[in-house]
């Protein structure tokens, strides 16, 4: 008698064995591909037929070759047939043919077929004008027209992209809004998002990971948003660290940290005994046994926030004190980094500096407060060099400058001013 | 109920396959596909994974076709290759750490199980329930209940202890019974 377990298993087995499957064409193709990939030699039975066809073709070629050889020597049957052909030729061209025969020594009367070919060739001869004129016409008509390539444009993402379900804070976008840079809600992460043409299926939400791809609900099905997430503080530290002059670090001395009492306790005793029994000890001068480290000191660069903006496909980061400029692409590769140089005109005192980004022109301007003026410069982000533009006649606290479409606008003493940059 | 699948191949066919004649290979593939697929669907959830397993074992079979003895069963030989392939893949992908001993709280006791439900159940439904099992339990149940491996053989093949095999068997049976019990009983035609 079957136990309930056995009965269950047997019934289950019987049931499952009734399911039937049919091989699809796609499965067969996949198998054939796998066979080719695995280099399994298959014997195709079509070779027998193919060899028969090859023999047949080669015999035909051989016979044709033989026939061509015999045509060089005009024989009786050949001339008979060719005469018929000769008679059918238009009689009006006989005089021309006769002249041609006399002129052309190569054509022999015993070879009427060659005479006909020569005649045909002479009839087909055309003048230079005849040759080129129709050709030009046909070439003109046939010449293919260049078709403009319909390039797919990635859709804008400024109002679409959300990081962990929330819109980005302090977001800046490129002119076509396909590249976006902003911060998360807690302002700890810097997110760079870029829309790309792609059709693969992916997540709908951007998650907190190093990099990823998402397609928000309702977004274009032919596009995705590729995003990279940076830890803001470590990214700006990286900018800062890369601006340190290495010569300065080499010469600064790093102090040996004082050892704690706890570490002393944690140190195994055996090790201390071992050092005491080394052969290199100097019994006469115990001071000589001490391994003296040169005192070194490492000064960590002060953390500084960076403001950011987007120009074409690259991001421009300018430090808060407008001393450094860094250009980075959307994937985090630093394209250039430079110290902002303000040299001309010579100014005895440089006060607060501010950077302004003109979204419409993509240019970066710097305003520097001096003792008597506000000086305006145009910055080259790639090398940090500045070009002096002009200065305002006065200097006042908390100015509110705005730069748009190459125009500087500000309010002073309740009067609005505008000036072309 | 449909008949179970059997592979019918003559010795001449097998000799042709040993010569790797492309036409006979495709014939063999078409003949053996239902049989292999019926096994692969029990072990793999994904259609692509099922096809990959079938193709891989088919390629293995072609590579070692010269080792096949004409007097033995070709069907059993193919299925052994396929099962070994599936077990190897399980051992490659599912390490010991992946086998989780999760307690299942099903109230359906063994005595209460209604076998009529199982008899009336659709095979595809049962396959669906089987695919819902955790990978380790699924392979153990497949090997024991359907492919008729002994518990010792399973423990050796999968590299797990006999107790673990028994636990998986018990758990999978329990889960399957619980899932089958959720099916509605078919209404009596006379009523």
């Amino acid at each position: 008698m079957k136990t309930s377990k056995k009965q269950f298993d047997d019934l289950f087995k019987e049931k499952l064995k009734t399911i039937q499957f049919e091989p699809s064409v796609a499965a067969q193709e996949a198998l054939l591909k796998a066979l080719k990939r695995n280099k399994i030699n298959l014997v195709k039975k079509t070779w027998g037929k193919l060899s028969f066809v090859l023999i047949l073709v080669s015999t035909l070629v051989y016979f044709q070759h033989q026939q061509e050889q015999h045509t060089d020597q005009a024989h009786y049957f050949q001339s008979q047939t060719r005469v018929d052909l000769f008679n059918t030729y238009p009689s009006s061209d006989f005089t021309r043919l006769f002249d041609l025969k006399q002129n052309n020594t190569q054509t022999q009367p015993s070879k009427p077929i060659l005479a006909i070919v020569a005649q045909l060739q002479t009839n087909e001869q055309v003048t230079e004008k005849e040759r080129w004129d129709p050709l030009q016409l046909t070439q003109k008509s046939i010449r293919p027209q260049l078709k403009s390539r319909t390039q797919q444009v990635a859709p804008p993402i400024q109002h679409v992209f959300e990081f962990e379900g929330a819109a980005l804070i302090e977001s800046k976008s490129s002119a076509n809004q396909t590249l976006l840079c902003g911060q998360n809600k807690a302002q700890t992460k810097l997110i760079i998002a870029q829309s790309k043409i792609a059709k693969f299926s992916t997540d709908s939400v951007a998650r907190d990971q190093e990099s990823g791809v998402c397609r928000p609900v309702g977004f274009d099905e032919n596009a995705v948003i590729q995003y990279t997430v940076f830890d803001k503080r470590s990214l700006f530290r990286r900018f800062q660290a890369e601006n340190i002059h290495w010569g300065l670090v080499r010469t600064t001395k790093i102090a040996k940290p004082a050892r704690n009492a706890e570490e002393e306790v944690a140190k195994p005793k055996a090790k201390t005994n071992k050092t005491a029994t080394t052969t290199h000890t100097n019994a006469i001068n115990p001071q000589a046994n001490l391994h003296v480290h040169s005192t070194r000191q490492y000064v960590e660069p002060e953390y500084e926030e960076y403001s950011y903006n987007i120009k074409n496909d690259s991001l421009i980061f300018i430090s808060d004190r407008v001393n450094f400029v860094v250009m980075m692409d959307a994937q985090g590769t630093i394209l250039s980094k430079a110290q902002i140089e303000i040299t001309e005109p010579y100014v005895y005192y440089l006060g607060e500096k501010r950077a302004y980004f003109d979204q419409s022109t993509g240019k970066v301007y710097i305003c520097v407060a001096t003792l008597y003026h506000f000086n305006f410069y145009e910055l080259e982000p790639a090398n940090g060099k500045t070009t002096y533009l002009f200065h305002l006649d006065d200097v006042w606290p908390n100015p509110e400058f705005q730069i748009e479409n190459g125009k500087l606008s500000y309010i002073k003493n309740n009067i609005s001013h505008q000036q072309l940059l | 109920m449909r008949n179970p699948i059997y592979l019918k191949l003559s010795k001449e066919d097998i000799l042709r396959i040993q010569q790797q004649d492309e036409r006979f290979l495709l014939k063999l593939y078409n003949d053996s596909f239902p049989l292999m697929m019926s096994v692969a669907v029990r072990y793999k959830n994904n259609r692509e994974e099922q096809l990959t397993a079938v193709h891989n074992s088919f390629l293995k079979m072609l590579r070692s076709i010269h080792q096949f003895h004409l007097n033995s069963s070709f069907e059993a030989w193919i299925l052994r290759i396929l099962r070994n392939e599936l077990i190897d893949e399980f051992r490659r992908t599912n390490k010991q750490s992946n086998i989780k001993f999760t307690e299942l709280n099903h109230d359906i006791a063994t005595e209460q199980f209604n076998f009529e439900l199982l008899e009336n159940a659709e095979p595809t439904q049962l396959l669906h329930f089987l695919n819902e099992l955790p990978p380790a339990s699924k392979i153990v149940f497949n090997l024991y209940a359907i492919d008729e491996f002994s518990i010792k053989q399973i423990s050796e093949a999968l590299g797990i202890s006999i107790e673990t095999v028994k636990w998986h068997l018990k758990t999978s049976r329990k889960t399957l019974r619980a899932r089958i019990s959720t099916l509605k009983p078919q209404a009596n035609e006379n009523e």
Side-chain angles (χ1 to χ4, degrees):
Chain A
M1 191 182 166
K2 280 182 181 177
T3 60
S4 66
K5 284 180 190 174
K6 185 75 182 161
Q7 194 184 354
F8 179 82
D9 292 353
D10 288 348
L11 255 173
F12 209 94
K13 184 183 170 182
E14 275 176 30
K15 279 276 178 187
L16 285 182
K17 283 204 169 179
T18 55
I19 304 173
Q20 289 192 344
F21 299 91
E22 288 297 321
S24 63
V25 180
Q28 282 182 357
E29 282 175 3
L31 176 82
L32 287 172
K33 274 182 188 173
L35 285 168
K36 278 177 189 170
R37 218 182 302 129
N38 284 272
K39 292 176 183 173
I40 290 176
N41 296 318
L42 301 175
V43 183
K44 290 188 179 177
K45 290 293 167 186
T46 49
W47 278 109
K49 287 176 191 173
L50 192 66
S51 58
F52 176 73
V53 171
L54 279 171
I55 291 164
L56 196 71
V57 169
S58 58
T59 45
L60 280 170
V61 168
Y62 175 73
F63 280 122
Q64 200 177 2
H65 181 67
Q66 289 288 321
Q67 207 174 359
E68 278 175 12
Q69 277 188 339
H70 288 296
T71 47
D72 290 343
Q73 297 168 2
H75 49 80
Y76 175 76
F77 296 106
Q78 192 187 5
S79 63
Q80 287 297 309
T81 51
R82 296 295 180 258
V83 165
D84 291 341
L85 186 66
F86 193 75
N87 291 336
T88 54
Y89 203 75
S91 58
S92 58
D93 288 327
F94 271 144
T95 49
R96 201 174 166 185
L97 181 65
F98 184 72
D99 295 339
L100 188 84
K101 273 182 185 174
Q102 281 189 337
N103 294 335
N104 195 355
T105 52
Q106 287 181 349
T107 51
Q108 294 169 10
S110 61
K111 293 180 181 175
I113 186 69
L114 290 177
I116 292 164
V117 170
Q119 177 62 32
L120 286 168
Q121 281 176 348
T122 49
N123 282 344
E124 282 176 2
Q125 273 180 359
V126 287
T127 60
E128 284 294 308
K129 199 183 176 184
E130 283 173 347
R131 184 176 288 168
W132 289 107
D133 282 352
L135 191 67
Q136 280 175 349
L137 286 169
T138 50
Q139 273 189 347
K140 269 182 189 174
S141 60
I142 292 166
R143 179 175 285 179
Q145 296 289 315
L146 287 171
K147 287 178 185 173
S148 62
R149 193 177 160 204
T150 50
Q151 197 177 3
Q152 276 188 301
V153 181
I157 53 167
Q158 196 186 9
H159 304 294
V160 180
F161 182 73
E162 286 185 347
F163 182 72
E164 291 184 318
L168 297 180
I169 295 169
E170 292 183 18
S171 66
K172 301 279 169 62
S173 65
S174 60
N176 54 6
Q177 298 185 1
T178 55
L179 184 62
L180 186 72
C181 179
Q183 296 173 42
N184 66 341
K185 217 172 180 180
Q187 298 198 333
T188 52
K189 307 269 179 188
L190 191 84
I191 300 110
I192 302 169
Q194 196 171 15
S195 72
K196 298 258 169 104
I197 298 291
K199 286 185 179 177
F200 57 84
S201 59
T202 181
D203 287 350
S204 60
V205 185
R207 295 172 206 286
D208 188 4
Q209 54 195 18
E210 202 173 312
S211 62
V213 178
C214 69
R215 183 186 289 119
V217 179
F219 193 59
D220 192 347
E221 283 183 3
N222 296 328
V224 291
I225 300 174
Q226 188 183 11
Y227 61 91
T228 321
V229 182
F230 298 95
D231 183 48
K232 196 175 88 174
R233 207 173 165 80
S234 60
L235 180 73
F236 292 164
R237 275 238 177 273
R238 202 175 115 203
F239 291 164
Q240 202 75 10
E242 282 168 3
N243 283 318
I244 297 168
H245 187 252
W246 282 107
L248 190 73
V249 172
R250 231 180 284 128
T251 50
T252 45
K253 291 179 176 177
I254 298 172
K256 191 185 175 188
R259 193 173 287 167
N260 294 331
E262 287 175 11
E263 283 178 5
E264 287 288 345
V265 172
K267 206 174 178 183
K269 280 181 181 176
K271 210 168 185 179
T272 50
N273 293 337
K274 206 174 182 181
T275 49
T277 53
T278 45
T279 52
H280 301 290
T281 50
N282 192 338
I284 301 159
N285 187 10
Q287 286 290 325
N289 294 332
L290 293 170
H291 179 73
V292 181
H293 286 280
S294 57
T295 52
R296 290 176 288 173
Q297 200 172 0
Y298 174 69
V299 182
E300 200 176 332
E302 199 179 336
Y303 176 74
E304 199 174 0
E305 287 273 330
Y306 279 73
S307 60
Y308 48 87
N309 256 302
I310 299 172
K311 185 184 179 183
N312 300 331
D313 288 338
S314 53
L315 291 100
I316 300 167
F317 290 88
I318 296 171
S319 65
D320 263 4
R321 280 178 235 151
V322 197
N323 289 326
F324 298 104
V325 58
V326 180
M327 283 183 83
M328 194 177 86
D329 71 359
Q331 282 72 42
T333 312
I334 292 175
L335 305 171
S336 71
K337 54 180 196 263
Q339 193 165 3
I340 296 170
E341 295 173 15
I342 297 170
T343 49
E344 287 179 355
Y346 173 74
V347 184
Y348 177 72
Y349 167 77
L350 286 177
E352 190 189 349
K353 289 178 270 185
R354 284 186 193 180
Y356 296 93
F357 190 81
D358 189 351
Q359 196 77 40
S360 56
T361 56
K363 287 179 179 174
V364 185
Y365 299 97
I366 291 174
C367 171
V368 184
T370 64
L371 284 174
Y372 308 105
H373 312 286
F374 279 122
N375 286 8
F376 281 88
Y377 300 86
E378 189 185 325
L379 173 71
E380 181 55 57
N383 53 20
K385 287 189 177 169
T386 51
T387 315
Y388 174 72
L389 298 173
F390 61 89
H391 65 84
L392 297 181
D393 294 335
D394 200 3
V395 63
W396 63 95
N398 302 321
E400 288 180 0
F401 295 120
Q402 281 188 336
I403 296 177
E404 275 177 13
N405 298 320
K407 273 183 188 174
L408 168 72
S409 51
Y410 60 95
I411 299 167
K412 188 191 167 192
N413 300 332
N414 296 327
I415 302 164
S416 63
H417 299 267
Q418 273 200 341
Q419 190 161 350
L420 275 173
L421 288 162
Chain B
M1 192 179 275
R2 280 173 283 187
N3 292 324
I5 309 146
Y6 295 109
L7 197 64
K8 288 174 185 175
L9 278 170
S10 65
K11 285 185 179 179
E12 285 178 2
D13 291 347
I14 293 165
L15 277 171
R16 292 270 188 172
I17 294 158
Q18 282 179 340
Q19 289 165 6
Q20 298 198 341
D21 186 340
E22 188 184 333
R23 287 175 300 173
F24 276 84
L25 282 184
L26 279 177
K27 187 177 175 292
L28 170 69
Y29 177 72
N30 291 338
D31 287 353
S32 60
F33 184 85
L35 181 74
M36 293 169 91
M37 203 61 180
S38 66
V39 177
V41 287
R42 286 191 278 115
Y43 288 86
K44 296 279 173 190
N45 295 2
N46 192 337
R47 180 76 179 171
E48 284 178 7
E49 284 178 357
Q50 290 159 7
L51 266 180
T52 311
V54 168
H55 287 175
N56 283 349
S57 48
F58 198 81
L59 290 174
K60 260 189 189 175
M61 185 264 291
L62 287 183
R63 273 192 216 105
S64 51
I65 189 87
H66 57 278
Q67 293 171 4
F68 176 72
H69 298 290
L70 290 173
N71 296 327
S72 52
S73 164
F74 197 76
E75 182 188 338
W77 187 65
I78 286 179
L79 287 183
R80 198 166 69 230
I81 290 172
L82 178 62
R83 270 188 216 116
N84 287 342
E85 168 74 20
L86 290 163
I87 290 168
D88 286 349
E89 206 191 328
F90 176 81
R91 291 180 70 165
R92 274 200 302 274
T93 53
N94 294 272
K95 301 286 176 200
Q96 290 290 322
S97 58
N98 287 3
I99 299 169
K100 290 173 186 170
F101 290 85
T102 47
E103 275 301 321
L104 294 161
N105 299 316
H106 298 299
D107 300 330
I108 308 300
T110 315
E111 293 78 23
Q112 291 170 350
F113 182 69
N114 185 2
F115 277 91
E116 274 184 22
L117 287 173
L118 179 58
E119 277 171 12
N120 296 329
E122 279 291 314
T124 47
Q125 261 179 336
L126 295 179
L127 189 65
H128 179 67
F129 294 154
L130 186 67
N131 281 332
E132 280 180 351
L133 289 176
S137 298
K138 187 168 74 174
I139 197 167
V140 167
F141 184 78
N142 264 317
L143 289 173
Y144 183 81
I146 298 158
D147 294 329
E148 293 173 358
F149 275 52
S150 71
I151 288 176
K152 198 183 172 188
Q153 280 175 327
I154 296 167
S155 78
E156 280 168 5
L158 301 181
I160 52 178
S161 68
I162 288 174
E163 283 71 28
T164 315
V165 174
K166 282 178 181 172
W167 183 88
H168 279 300
L169 266 177
K170 190 184 163 188
T171 317
S172 47
R173 271 201 205 103
K174 215 173 177 180
T175 315
L176 286 171
R177 278 177 178 168
R179 295 292 281 123
I180 292 162
S181 300
T182 57
L183 295 172
K184 286 179 185 174
Q186 279 190 350
N188 199 339
E189 286 175 7
N190 299 330
E191 285 174 7

